[in-house]
Amino acid sequence: MEVIFLGTSCMIPTKERNTSAMLLTFNEENILIDCGEGTQRQLRIAGIKPTCITKILISHWHGDHVLGLPGLLQTLGASEYSGRLKIYGPQGSKEHVEKMLQAFVFSNKVDFEVFDITKTRFFDGKDFYLEAMRLDHSIDCIGFSFVEKDRIRINVKKAEKLGIPEGPLMGELQVGKPIIVKGKKIMPEEVTYTVSGKKITYIADTVITDNCMKLAENADLLICESVYASEHENKAEEYKHLTARQAGMIANQANVKQLVLTHFSQRYKNTQDIEEDARVVFDKIVCAEDFMRLKL
Ligand SMILES: [Zn+2]
Ligand SMILES: [Zn+2]
C-alpha cells in the first residue's frame, strides 16, 4: 500500500507545489484522490501512467481539487483505457461532471460512471472498503477513509501438527469454516490468526467537526489539510479551513499513528511554522511535499 502526493498546495499552484491530488495504490487499485489542475503532468513526472487509475474520489468541487479532471478524462479517452472508471464525490457530482463535459469538445470518450455518495461505506470490495463523511467547509465537502479488511492467516506449524493437508481445507479455515481431518473436527480459531488491515484517512477542506475524529478513528495514516498555522486561526475560520494545530488535535483525539499535513497556503515559504504548530499537540508528523511517497 502506497500513497504518492501529487499536489500539496492550497488554492494556486506554486513553483514547488501543485494543487490537490494524491494517488493511493493497493494491489490492482490505483485510487486518485482529488484532481487539481495539472495532475496528469504530475503523474507523468512521478512515472505513473494515467491509465492505471481505477477510481477517482472527489472531496469537493472547489477548483483547486477538480480542475485537472477534464484534461485527465480527455487523456484517458485518447488512451487505451480498459475498464470502467468510477468517479465518486459529494452530492451533485454527477451534475458537475455533466456540465463540465458540456464545456469541452471531446473526440473520444473514456467509459466512466459518476456516483453521488449518499452513505458512509460507499464502496465495499473484496479486500478493502471506502468510507466517506461530511465535513464542514464553505461548500459540500467530504473526507475519505480507505480501510483494508483484516486477513485471516494459517499458522502453518499448528496446521502441520494437526495433519491438515495443503489445499481447499486451508481455504475453508481462512473463511472461518470448521473442517474435519481424520474424523476430527478442527475449528478455524485453533489454527488461524488475524492480520489487521491498515487504514488511511484523508481530511480535505473543513473546520474542526466531530466527523473529523470519527472518520480518522485509529487510522494508521491521517492525511489532513492544514492551510495555516495557528497565528492565522481567524483566517482559517473565515475560509473554513484547519490550522496545523487543529489537524494535530484531530490526530491526537482520533488516536492515529501518523499524521501527514498538506494543502498549505502559498504564504509559507517552508513548512517549519506549520510543523511546529502541530507538534505542540501531536508528535508523529510529516509535512507533505509533491512527489513524496509513503509506504504502509
Ligand atoms: Zn482546497
Ligand atoms: Zn475548498
Side-chain angles (χ1 to χ4, degrees), residues 10-11 59-65 137-139 141 204-206 225 239-241 263:
C10 165
M11 278 292 282
S59 65
H60 65 304
W61 282 85
H62 273 154
D64 56 331
H65 295 254
H137 191 39
S138 51
I139 59 169
C141 182
D205 303 10
T206 187
E225 74 117 325
Y239 299 112
K240 296 204 129 190
H241 279 291
H263 208 47

Side-chain angles (χ1 to χ4, degrees), residues 159-170:
E160 266 174 20
K161 231 181 190 175
L162 290 166
I164 306 169
E166 272 187 45
L169 284 178
M170 295 274 199

Side-chain angles (χ1 to χ4, degrees), residues 86-283:
K86 308 271 173 59
I87 303 172
Y88 301 86
Q91 287 212 27
S93 291
K94 256 187 207 173
E95 200 187 330
H96 275 294
V97 173
E98 260 166 43
K99 283 186 179 157
M100 182 187 80
L101 292 180
Q102 278 167 17
F104 304 99
V105 182
F106 292 94
S107 30
N108 294 297
K109 273 195 185 148
V110 61
D111 184 20
F112 71 91
E113 197 174 352
V114 187
F115 301 88
D116 289 353
I117 297 175
T118 53
K119 56 181 178 183
T120 306
R121 190 182 291 205
F122 64 94
F123 175 83
D124 201 350
K126 187 169 70 71
D127 40 17
F128 73 95
Y129 60 89
L130 298 169
E131 281 187 347
M133 280 189 196
R134 182 179 270 242
L135 301 172
D136 185 1
H137 191 39
S138 51
I139 59 169
D140 254 7
C141 182
I142 48 182
F144 297 103
S145 280
F146 168 96
V147 188
E148 181 190 12
K149 291 184 177 174
D150 293 345
R151 284 157 294 152
I152 295 175
R153 286 275 162 84
I154 306 277
N155 183 324
V156 183
K157 272 195 182 147
K158 278 189 188 169
E160 266 174 20
K161 231 181 190 175
L162 290 166
I164 306 169
E166 272 187 45
L169 284 178
M170 295 274 199
E172 297 280 294
L173 288 169
Q174 273 184 304
V175 292
K177 287 184 184 158
I179 56 166
I180 310 252
V181 176
K182 295 174 200 156
K184 203 177 150 240
K185 192 173 184 184
I186 298 169
M187 299 305 285
E189 47 275 20
E190 290 176 58
V191 278
T192 58
Y193 61 97
T194 305
V195 180
S196 303
K198 297 267 194 302
K199 175 174 173 178
I200 299 174
T201 297
Y202 167 52
I203 292 180
D205 303 10
T206 187
V207 291
I208 207 158
T209 156
D210 283 351
N211 274 359
C212 295
M213 273 66 89
K214 276 190 207 158
L215 188 65
E217 197 180 11
N218 298 324
D220 295 274
L221 180 66
L222 168 62
I223 299 158
C224 192
E225 74 117 325
S226 59
V227 177
Y228 305 102
S230 289
E231 50 170 345
H232 293 110
E233 202 175 337
N234 290 346
K235 274 205 160 41
E237 218 173 294
E238 187 184 341
Y239 299 112
K240 296 204 129 190
H241 279 291
L242 291 169
T243 63
R245 178 89 45 101
Q246 289 167 334
M249 280 158 60
I250 295 167
N252 207 344
Q253 283 184 42
N255 191 34
V256 314
K257 292 203 178 75
Q258 193 184 355
L259 172 64
V260 176
L261 300 174
T262 185
H263 208 47
F264 309 119
S265 161
Q266 67 275 6
R267 74 176 61 233
Y268 297 100
K269 295 294 164 242
N270 61 58
T271 50
Q272 201 183 332
D273 290 352
I274 295 261
E275 194 176 321
E276 279 170 11
D277 189 43
R279 210 170 274 287
V280 174
V281 281
F282 194 78
D283 219 25

